[in-house]
């Protein structure tokens, strides 16, 4: 009972120390503006909630559901991909519903790698990308990603230096936390790379809809031959503000989908059926609710970026995600992201996520989540002005 081998491979949770400082300040009566955790504050669109209520009142929807997702939801997923990206998806063999992206990706990695297999992930990146592999016994190699580096060049360099050869590459664009974006040609290069090196690609497309300034995020599956080498995950958490509903899906290579389907058949009975029925309504439209959510995040982004630049913290406006990835001001950079995040809580009454929590290459940055209204963001800027 004293040793739990998988837990021993997980490092201390970096965000926990900052959260403790934040909670201590709040208990002392301070008004801390929390721009740390990326937990959407916007309500789910009414038509989706109304459908959930209607479906939940029908007793036949209270039974076990299907672990791969009900047929009509998988058909809605296929139609969504066709409308949005002109990608054909077979709802029976190339699509599966997951309990959010974290569950789906974790179980997919668990079923596709063996202990010791090498998995490539960006660094910094969303924690489940490397830790899904670590929990499964894999060996993670972080590929530097950020505004000052060429990810594809770094990827090729790492591939030449790594033995045994990597089995999986996990990507995510628009990227959390760095907000980096790519063009369709990038995925063409990734497909060619995967075929040359016999590597499976997993693309986390959670921020597909949260894009700004005319930028349109390409789907990995739009690249020719993408289905030969990998799959793509999408989450309804951000686009439809359904974070607590835990609805995601995985589409692409039928063999990979079959592997995920098989392990899920052992592990779960699927999402509560009324949630799946409501998700169908979300995916089938109307789309204007997604555009409204995007505009709210864009307005918050502009408020924060303009405010930070006004007080002397120079940060570029991201083209995607619900975050701002800000390099720590030069006078504080030696503190590192964890100590600087604590300093911000104490001196500015603003909580952010330390970049170190996303990987060692993130330690010169902090991440702002756009989860407060414009008034509160302006209040945060006034607090930050005090330290600038």
């Amino acid at each position: 009972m004293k040793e739990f081998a998988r837990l021993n491979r997980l490092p201390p949770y970096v965000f926990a120390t900052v959260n403790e400082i934040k909670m201590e300040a709040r208990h002392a009566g301070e008004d801390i503006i929390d721009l740390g955790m990326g937990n959407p504050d916007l309500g789910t669109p009414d038509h989706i909630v109304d459908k959930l209520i209607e479906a939940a009142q029908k007793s036949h929807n209270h039974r076990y559901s299907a672990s791969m997702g009900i047929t009509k939801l998988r058909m809605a997923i296929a139609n969504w991909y066709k409308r949005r990206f002109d990608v054909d998806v077979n709802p029976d063999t190339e699509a599966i519903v997951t309990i959010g992206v974290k569950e789906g990706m974790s179980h997919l990695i668990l079923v596709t790698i063996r202990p010791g297999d090498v998995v490539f992930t960006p660094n910094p990146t969303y924690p489940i990308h490397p830790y899904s592999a670590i929990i499964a016994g894999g060996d993670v190699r972080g590929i530097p990603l950020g505004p000052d580096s060429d990810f594809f060049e770094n990827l090729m360099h790492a591939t030449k230096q790594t033995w045994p050869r990597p089995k999986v590459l996990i990507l995510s664009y628009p990227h959390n936390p760095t907000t980096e974006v790519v063009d369709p040609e990038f995925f063409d290069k990734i497909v060619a790379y995967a075929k040359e090196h016999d590597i499976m690609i997993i693309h986390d497309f959670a921020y597909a809809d949260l894009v700004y300034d005319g930028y349109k995020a390409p789907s990995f599956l739009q690249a020719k031959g993408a289905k030969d080498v990998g799959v793509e995950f999408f989450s309804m958490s951000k686009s439809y503000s359904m974070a607590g509903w835990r609805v995601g899906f995985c589409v692409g290579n039928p063999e990979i989908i079959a592997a995920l389907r098989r392990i899920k058949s052992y592990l779960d009975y699927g999402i509560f059926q009324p949630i799946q029925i409501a998700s169908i309504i979300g995916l089938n439209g109307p789309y204007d609710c997604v555009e409204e959510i995007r505009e709210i995040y864009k307005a918050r982004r502009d408020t924060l970026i303009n405010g930070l630049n006004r007080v002397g913290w120079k940060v570029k406006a991201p083209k995607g995600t619900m975050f701002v990835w800000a390099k720590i001001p030069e006078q504080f950079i030696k503190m590192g992201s964890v100590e600087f995040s604590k300093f911000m809580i104490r001196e500015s009454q603003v909580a952010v996520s330390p970049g170190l929590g996303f990987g060692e290459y993130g330690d010169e940055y902090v991440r702002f989540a756009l989860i407060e209204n414009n008034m509160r963001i302006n209040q945060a800027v006034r607090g930050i002005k005090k330290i600038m």
Side-chain angles (χ1 to χ4, degrees):
M1 293 291 290
K2 292 181 181 179
E3 292 292 329
F4 298 96
R6 294 192 191 282
L7 287 183
N8 288 342
R9 296 198 68 204
L10 298 177
Y13 196 52
V14 170
F15 302 116
T17 56
V18 177
N19 285 337
E20 287 176 14
I21 302 292
K22 176 185 71 180
M23 295 311 298
E24 286 174 8
R26 282 184 166 170
H27 290 151
E30 293 188 49
D31 179 18
I32 304 297
I33 301 170
D34 192 355
L35 302 177
M37 184 178 178
N39 191 357
D41 64 313
L42 305 175
T44 305
D46 290 343
H47 65 288
I48 300 175
V49 177
D50 291 343
K51 191 62 179 182
L52 170 70
I53 294 169
E54 177 191 320
Q57 289 172 334
K58 297 177 179 178
S59 60
H60 63 266
N61 287 328
H62 300 173
R63 304 168 68 186
Y64 289 130
S65 188
S67 61
M68 69 178 296
I70 60 177
T71 301
K72 288 187 177 180
L73 179 51
R74 287 183 281 109
M75 290 174 65
I77 291 165
N79 292 334
W80 184 84
Y81 259 94
K82 186 64 178 176
R83 284 195 315 274
R84 293 292 311 282
F85 305 107
D86 196 27
V87 170
D88 292 312
V89 171
N90 184 321
D92 295 322
T93 61
E94 296 178 340
I96 185 169
V97 180
T98 61
I99 308 171
V101 171
K102 289 179 77 171
E103 175 273 320
M105 184 175 293
S106 299
H107 284 149
L108 179 57
I109 290 293
L110 186 63
V111 79
T112 52
I113 73 167
R114 295 174 296 182
D117 282 348
V118 175
V119 175
F120 278 174
T121 73
N123 186 334
T125 198
Y126 185 51
I128 197 60
H129 296 162
Y131 292 132
S132 61
I134 289 170
I135 291 168
D139 187 4
V140 175
R141 299 281 196 279
I143 313 299
L145 171 67
D148 301 323
S149 63
D150 184 324
F151 177 78
F152 197 82
E153 185 178 303
N154 293 338
L155 174 64
M156 297 305 296
H157 183 68
T159 304
K160 291 175 183 176
Q161 290 191 325
T162 300
W163 188 264
R165 293 299 186 202
K167 294 291 183 69
V168 180
L169 168 63
I170 300 175
L171 298 171
S172 180
Y173 291 100
H175 185 254
N176 174 16
T178 69
T179 74
E180 294 285 303
V181 296
V182 294
D183 55 25
E185 289 71 29
F186 174 84
F187 287 130
D188 291 333
K189 290 164 63 177
I190 288 294
V191 170
Y193 161 84
K195 289 185 175 183
E196 178 182 353
H197 298 281
D198 192 24
I199 295 174
M200 183 176 84
I201 305 298
I202 299 174
H203 182 232
D204 181 352
F205 204 25
Y207 298 94
D209 293 303
L210 299 190
V211 290
Y212 319 109
D213 305 331
Y215 174 73
K216 293 184 178 179
S219 164
F220 164 69
L221 296 182
Q222 287 176 293
K224 185 177 179 181
K227 283 189 196 175
D228 297 336
V229 297
V231 293
E232 183 166 81
F233 281 92
F234 178 78
S235 166
M236 298 187 73
S237 295
K238 313 306 188 300
S239 302
Y240 298 88
S241 206
M242 294 171 63
W245 299 51
R246 309 312 303 133
V247 185
F249 49 83
C250 182
V251 296
N253 180 277
E255 292 181 12
I256 299 173
I257 297 296
L260 180 54
R261 177 180 179 178
R262 185 169 182 189
I263 194 170
K264 278 177 66 64
S265 70
Y266 284 92
L267 295 171
D268 71 73
Y269 282 113
I271 302 166
F272 184 43
Q273 194 150 293
I275 292 178
Q276 295 192 58
I277 293 168
S279 299
I280 295 168
I281 299 302
L283 290 175
N284 285 343
Y287 191 67
D288 56 356
C289 63
V290 177
E291 293 175 343
E292 289 172 10
I293 289 169
R294 176 170 59 227
E295 286 304 311
I296 290 171
Y297 283 123
K298 180 182 182 298
R300 293 176 178 183
R301 177 204 69 163
D302 293 344
T303 299
L304 180 60
I305 291 293
N306 292 337
L308 290 176
N309 283 306
R310 189 171 61 248
V311 301
W313 190 343
K314 301 303 180 184
V315 183
K316 287 185 178 180
K319 290 186 177 180
T321 77
M322 53 182 284
F323 306 108
V324 168
W325 184 240
K327 191 165 188 177
I328 298 170
E330 193 63 35
Q331 62 267 41
F332 302 115
I333 205 161
K334 289 184 179 179
M335 296 174 71
S337 60
V338 175
E339 290 306 314
F340 179 67
S341 297
K342 294 178 185 178
F343 174 72
M344 280 190 66
I345 293 172
R346 289 193 302 265
E347 303 299 327
S348 298
Q349 291 74 53
V350 177
V352 294
S353 292
L356 182 63
F358 304 97
E360 63 268 29
Y361 292 113
D363 200 24
E364 292 187 347
Y365 292 80
V366 292
R367 191 194 72 177
F368 292 84
L370 303 172
I371 55 168
E372 291 276 11
N373 61 41
N374 289 336
M375 185 177 71
R376 293 282 282 173
I377 290 174
N378 278 321
Q379 183 182 339
V381 170
R382 289 194 294 272
I384 291 168
K385 185 179 180 180
K386 292 186 293 186
I387 67 168
M388 298 298 294

